């Protein structure tokens, strides 16, 4: 699902920085992001491996173990997302879904057109997603460097190689 990740990167970049809010292309890209997130959720439910919900471990002990690995600068090589990474994934999915729902309501449901509360929620979610993106980028580089584990290459190639 790396392609889904990079589609979301492109959609966010275009919609947040370049396109006119509410324009047709902005809307269609928003629907595209919503579809990608739904496909990714389905993938997480039906697949196995690192991208599945089967690998999801959000118990307090998992966080403790992850922070122990970070403290000792030894992140296991053969793992997928850590517990904090999963929380970021959920926040990202929530933001994209919320943006799609509020955007749809503002543009497609006449009774909600021009509703300032909906516009505020949509704006808040887009800014929240921007903050999540910045944290994600920062975490990839810091955790990769600090934990002695390559994280950028696998996001592009899908394969993690030892340093």
């Amino acid at each position: 699902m790396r392609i889904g990740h990079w589609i979301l990167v492109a959609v966010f970049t275009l919609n947040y920085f370049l396109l006119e809010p509410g324009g047709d292309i902005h809307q269609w890209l928003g629907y595209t992001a919503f579809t990608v997130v739904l496909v990714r959720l389905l993938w997480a439910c039906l697949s196995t491996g690192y991208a599945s919900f089967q690998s999801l471990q959000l118990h307090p002990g998992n966080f403790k173990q992850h922070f122990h690995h970070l403290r000792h600068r030894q992140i296991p090589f053969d793992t997928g997302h850590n517990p904090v990474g999963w929380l970021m994934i959920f926040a990202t999915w929530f933001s994209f879904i919320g943006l799609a729902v509020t955007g749809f309501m503002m543009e497609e449901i006449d009774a909600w057109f021009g509703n300032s509360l909906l516009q505020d929620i949509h704006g808040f979610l887009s800014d929240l997603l921007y903050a999540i993106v910045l944290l994600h980028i920062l975490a990839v580089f810091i955790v990769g460097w600090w934990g002695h584990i390559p994280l950028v290459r696998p996001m592009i190639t899908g394969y993690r190689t030892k340093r």
Side-chain angles (χ1 to χ4, degrees):
M1 282 307 299
R2 278 179 321 283
I3 188 74
H5 175 268
W6 294 110
I7 290 171
L8 292 177
V9 168
V11 166
F12 172 77
T13 302
L14 289 168
N15 272 358
Y16 194 84
F17 294 108
L18 300 173
L19 296 174
E20 178 183 337
D24 288 344
I25 297 173
H26 179 95
Q27 290 178 47
W28 282 106
L29 288 176
Y31 297 145
T32 300
F34 180 73
T35 303
V36 168
V37 170
L38 290 183
V39 168
R40 178 59 180 89
L41 284 167
L42 185 63
W43 181 267
C45 290
L46 301 177
S47 71
T48 58
Y50 297 135
S52 77
F53 285 139
Q54 293 175 1
S55 70
L56 178 65
Q57 296 182 353
L58 295 178
H59 302 291
N62 300 117
F63 286 90
K64 184 177 177 182
Q65 183 180 33
H66 173 64
F67 291 125
H68 173 80
H69 290 147
L70 276 176
R71 190 171 41 254
H72 295 287
R73 299 186 74 174
Q74 296 177 342
I75 296 179
F77 179 77
D78 58 347
T79 59
H81 291 100
N82 62 60
V84 178
W86 272 108
L87 292 179
M88 291 296 284
I89 290 169
F90 288 132
T92 303
W93 290 344
F94 168 79
S95 298
F96 271 114
I97 290 169
L99 284 165
V101 169
T102 56
F104 176 83
M105 290 174 72
M106 286 189 303
E107 294 297 327
E108 304 299 334
I109 301 175
D110 290 338
W112 291 98
F113 183 78
N115 183 288
S116 62
L117 175 61
L118 221 46
Q119 290 174 349
D120 290 345
I121 292 170
H122 193 79
F124 170 78
L125 289 172
S126 65
D127 291 339
L128 175 65
L129 186 56
Y130 184 44
I132 290 168
V133 166
L134 293 176
L135 277 172
H136 171 61
I137 293 168
L138 189 63
V140 164
F141 287 106
I142 290 174
V143 171
W145 167 76
W146 183 260
H148 301 292
I149 190 157
L151 296 175
V152 176
R153 182 178 296 168
M155 294 169 85
I156 297 168
T157 67
Y159 300 101
R160 185 181 288 173
T161 57
K162 292 189 178 187
R163 288 187 183 178

